[in-house]
Amino acid sequence: MSQKEASSEKKVILVTGGTGLVGNAIKTIALGEEKRDNEEWVFASSKDADLSNTAATEALFDKVKPTHVIHLAALVGGLFRNLKYNLDFYRINSMINDNVLNLSYQRGVKKVVSCLSTCIFPDKTTYPIDETMVHNGPPHSSNYGYAFSKRMIDVQNRAYHNQHGCQFTS
């Protein structure tokens, strides 16, 4: 397939967490000045599917049939919720990430881009920071559950690429 044919091929882009801060910013650009005729964008929220539930995630993928995924979805909370429910944040976000990435692999999604978070960086670090420093030490103790689950997206993306050749990145 030529580059011209590939660029005109129909793309269905599923944005998980599509109604959050980053999702809305992408929506403004994708449906505005950068709109392309060969792209269909689906901005999914937690009202569309509980991505921590495999069956609900499968149903969303069955309905949307994405060719590409921008994975932004996460269970988020403020400082006090993170302190009180670190285990819940780890478990639920890990399930969300596993469901989205595994279904993307199973359904032949061409590319997945997963969004990380600044809070995943090591608590004790040097500045400026960059993506090569993500795994250089533990995150702050106040949000370690959320931070480690988000870090694991990076690990999962690499593993899907190394084992299956998937174009998954974070």
Side-chain angles (χ1 to χ4, degrees):
M1 179 181 304
S2 72
Q3 187 174 5
K4 184 177 181 180
E5 289 172 324
S7 66
S8 65
E9 191 176 308
K10 171 84 171 180
K11 296 178 179 94
V12 178
I13 302 111
L14 171 62
V15 182
T16 67
T19 60
L21 179 70
V22 177
N24 275 313
I26 291 171
K27 186 178 202 176
T28 298
I29 294 167
L31 301 181
E33 62 192 49
E34 297 294 323
K35 185 167 176 36
R36 296 182 181 142
D37 292 336
N38 67 326
E39 295 177 349
E40 177 187 340
W41 289 80
V42 178
F43 294 87
S45 75
S46 57
K47 292 176 184 160
D48 298 303
D50 174 2
L51 299 177
S52 68
N53 178 289
T54 303
T57 309
E58 287 174 334
L60 178 65
F61 272 66
D62 288 343
K63 178 181 176 186
V64 174
K65 296 180 180 21
T67 60
H68 297 72
V69 173
I70 299 176
H71 178 40
L72 309 174
L75 173 66
V76 296
L79 175 62
F80 294 110
R81 282 188 68 209
N82 272 297
L83 282 166
K84 187 172 182 179
Y85 301 109
N86 259 307
L87 174 62
D88 294 347
F89 280 96
Y90 179 79
R91 291 189 71 244
I92 293 167
N93 283 308
S94 294
M95 287 186 277
I96 290 170
N97 299 335
D98 191 55
N99 285 335
V100 169
L101 293 179
N102 191 45
L103 278 163
S104 293
Y105 163 66
Q106 289 177 359
R107 304 296 170 87
V109 169
K110 293 177 183 177
K111 185 162 191 170
V112 176
V113 176
S114 301
C115 188
L116 302 179
S117 172
T118 57
C119 76
I120 70 171
F121 284 94
D123 183 32
K124 307 289 188 234
T125 192
T126 57
Y127 293 91
I129 56 177
D130 66 39
E131 67 279 0
T132 65
M133 302 164 75
V134 167
H135 301 286
N136 287 354
H140 193 273
S141 61
S142 65
N143 70 331
Y144 67 87
Y146 175 79
F148 277 121
S149 70
K150 293 297 275 186
R151 282 184 185 186
M152 289 302 100
I153 297 172
D154 184 53
V155 173
Q156 284 181 286
N157 282 330
R158 287 184 202 181
Y160 274 104
H161 177 74
N162 291 339
Q163 188 167 332
H164 300 294
C166 298
Q167 295 302 307
F168 294 3
T169 191
S170 49

